[in-house]
Amino acid sequence: MSTENDSEGETTRITRKGQVTIPKELRDEFGLEEGDELLWQKAEDGIRVRKATHSAGRGMLVDDDISEEKREEMAEEMEATIREKRRTAWTPE
């Protein structure tokens, strides 16, 4: 990976596979972690990249009077259950 700083920020190169590395400073600042989804949008001046929200579907199956803390707790439990099911569903041959 090659990076260089310019007056507007840090640059990285696109790999042969079309991959890019997000600078650590930006990953830390915006809370980006492995597995997070990014949204790539066309903009008049180029490309805009932002973290895709995972809250878009939240609330559809939960009553409005449930606190944000409880919603987060429920989401974390659901994610843990999904990870466990994926882990146990895969069995090497």
Side-chain angles (χ1 to χ4, degrees), residues 67-81:
S67 71
E68 185 64 30
E69 293 80 21
K70 182 63 177 173
R71 288 173 187 264
E72 288 299 321
E73 179 185 322
M74 293 168 71
E76 288 172 10
E77 289 174 4
M78 204 176 323
E79 288 172 2
T81 300

Side-chain angles (χ1 to χ4, degrees), residues 22-85:
I22 302 166
K24 182 170 181 5
E25 183 177 304
L26 293 174
R27 292 193 315 265
D28 292 345
E29 181 178 345
F30 293 100
L32 298 173
E33 299 176 349
E34 180 180 348
D36 283 347
E37 293 183 7
L38 299 177
L39 178 63
W40 297 77
Q41 297 175 311
K42 291 181 192 178
E44 287 184 25
D45 59 345
I47 300 170
R48 181 177 313 157
V49 181
R50 65 182 181 92
K51 184 175 181 177
T53 63
H54 293 288
S55 61
R58 288 190 189 173
M60 293 173 58
L61 303 175
V62 180
D63 290 334
D64 290 338
D65 61 346
I66 301 292
S67 71
E68 185 64 30
E69 293 80 21
K70 182 63 177 173
R71 288 173 187 264
E72 288 299 321
E73 179 185 322
M74 293 168 71
E76 288 172 10
E77 289 174 4
M78 204 176 323
E79 288 172 2
T81 300
I82 291 168
R83 276 194 301 276
E84 180 64 20
K85 288 185 184 261

